[in-house]
Amino acid sequence: MSTTPPPTLEQVCEKALRLPCSPSLLPRLAIALQADDSSASEIERLISLDASLAAATLRLANSAMFARGTVETVEAAVFRLGAKEIYRLAALVLVSRWESGQKGLRWEPGDFSRHALITAIAGEVLASTTERLDPQLAYTAGLVSDLGKLALAHCCNDFYPAVRAFRERMQCTWDQAERAVLGYHHADATKKLLEAWNFPKVFQLTAEFLTRPTEAPAEALPLLAHLHAAKYLATSLGPGVTEEGFLTTVHGGFLREWGFTPELLEAAMPVVHERALQRLGDKLTVGAVAI
């Protein structure tokens, strides 16, 4: 256990922002894909700023799911895949690569990406069901909502034994233990990172009020409600959930207020599972997620 003071939240985020492969391209790509006047060449230019994303785009376009003759350029891949698939791919690529190199949490390879993707799929399914939120918004929130966990895992490895000991002694939630030991918790880091990457304000508010949704401003409530419901479904399904994942508060009254009844959530669960299985295949429960 470390005898030195933990890094400040600002130091954690400064270090995280220097890590390679950050998801900072995602907001720009989302705007371009939604704009009516964006051309395939403009989207290609953005995708090509990231070599791994460009390669993954070509692989997906030439996969058995989409292949109708070989695609050799990113621009042609954009035409073949369409905006929705491009965005799904980009979001997962840009978020999942950040998983590598962390040592603080007891995750197996692929656990973070697996759980983030299932949360994103759950958000998309629920938003399509309720018709109260853009499914792409819910999908993105599911992917990025726990990025602060990765930031802390990269920077605060030596302090996790103290976090675990405090949680076991006090029988509190994981975020409460983080705050007691570190002075902040992972959602605080998520909020600062999303702000630095110029994600829309609603994402920043969702991170800020993630652990206290009933205090959030009205503009953030629809996304917060769908995200909490999505997190509940993803955790209930299980893949990628480790030590800290089950140690959270379920805001049942808040979910019911927004119409997320046990019946609605139960009906959504097999749909989420089937879509996750389609996306991940044999990596649904174990192994690094290959993009």
Side-chain angles (χ1 to χ4, degrees), residues 102-115:
Q102 76 79 26
K103 300 177 181 178
L105 292 167
R106 293 169 179 167
W107 292 331
E108 295 298 322
D111 276 345
F112 178 86
S113 299
R114 198 170 4 259
H115 182 63

Side-chain angles (χ1 to χ4, degrees), residues 215-273:
E215 301 175 24
E219 63 188 290
L221 290 176
L223 184 55
L224 265 172
H226 285 76
L227 180 59
H228 269 274
K231 281 179 166 290
Y232 173 80
L233 288 179
T235 302
S236 299
L237 285 169
V241 183
T242 53
E243 56 176 341
E244 83 293 345
F246 294 109
L247 303 172
T248 59
T249 300
V250 177
H251 297 270
F254 175 67
L255 291 178
R256 287 190 296 273
E257 181 182 338
W258 278 85
F260 291 109
T261 62
E263 294 78 15
L264 187 152
L265 295 172
E266 184 176 351
M269 194 168 296
V271 180
V272 174
H273 180 267

Side-chain angles (χ1 to χ4, degrees), residues 132-152:
R132 300 178 72 178
L133 189 71
D134 178 3
Q136 181 172 295
L137 194 70
Y139 183 92
T140 305
L143 277 179
V144 305
S145 62
D146 282 336
L147 283 177
K149 288 185 180 180
L150 286 181
L152 266 61

Side-chain angles (χ1 to χ4, degrees), residues 5-269:
T8 65
L9 179 60
E10 288 71 24
Q11 290 170 330
V12 167
C13 292
E14 285 174 8
K15 182 175 180 180
L17 290 169
R18 292 197 299 269
L19 290 171
C21 307
S22 81
S24 56
L25 182 62
L26 192 55
R28 295 167 61 190
L29 187 58
I31 292 170
L33 288 169
Q34 291 174 343
D36 293 335
D37 57 351
S38 290
S39 66
S41 61
E42 289 174 305
I43 295 169
E44 178 211 11
R45 181 182 59 79
L46 280 175
I47 290 173
S48 296
L49 292 173
D50 189 296
S52 295
L53 176 56
T57 301
L58 284 169
R59 282 199 301 272
L60 182 60
N62 286 306
S63 68
M65 185 183 303
F66 292 97
R68 297 184 299 276
T70 303
V71 162
E72 297 180 348
T73 68
V74 173
E75 185 172 1
V78 169
F79 275 115
R80 173 171 290 182
L81 296 174
K84 186 174 183 180
E85 284 300 329
I86 285 289
Y87 186 80
R88 284 176 171 174
L89 174 69
L92 184 56
V93 168
L94 295 171
V95 169
S96 65
R97 291 177 315 183
W98 234 44
E99 182 174 0
S100 63
Q102 76 79 26
K103 300 177 181 178
L105 292 167
R106 293 169 179 167
W107 292 331
E108 295 298 322
D111 276 345
F112 178 86
S113 299
R114 198 170 4 259
H115 182 63
L117 178 60
I118 295 172
T119 305
I121 291 171
E124 183 179 53
V125 168
L126 291 170
S128 297
T129 300
T130 66
E131 298 183 341
R132 300 178 72 178
L133 189 71
D134 178 3
Q136 181 172 295
L137 194 70
Y139 183 92
T140 305
L143 277 179
V144 305
S145 62
D146 282 336
L147 283 177
K149 288 185 180 180
L150 286 181
L152 266 61
H154 278 287
C155 302
C156 300
N157 178 46
D158 292 342
F159 298 92
Y160 276 104
V163 172
R164 294 184 185 100
F166 184 92
R167 199 219 65 79
E168 291 172 6
R169 184 172 70 252
M170 302 303 294
Q171 291 298 294
C172 60
T173 62
W174 186 264
D175 60 274
Q176 288 170 334
E178 284 180 337
R179 185 176 290 282
V181 173
L182 302 173
Y184 47 83
H185 58 79
H186 60 270
D188 296 329
T190 301
K191 193 257 184 183
K192 289 187 74 70
L193 291 171
L194 295 179
E195 182 179 4
W197 288 323
N198 295 315
F199 272 70
K201 183 67 173 179
V202 68
F203 287 96
Q204 300 172 36
L205 289 171
T206 299
E208 181 178 355
F209 292 94
L210 185 64
T211 60
R212 44 194 178 97
T214 56
E215 301 175 24
E219 63 188 290
L221 290 176
L223 184 55
L224 265 172
H226 285 76
L227 180 59
H228 269 274
K231 281 179 166 290
Y232 173 80
L233 288 179
T235 302
S236 299
L237 285 169
V241 183
T242 53
E243 56 176 341
E244 83 293 345
F246 294 109
L247 303 172
T248 59
T249 300
V250 177
H251 297 270
F254 175 67
L255 291 178
R256 287 190 296 273
E257 181 182 338
W258 278 85
F260 291 109
T261 62
E263 294 78 15
L264 187 152
L265 295 172
E266 184 176 351
M269 194 168 296

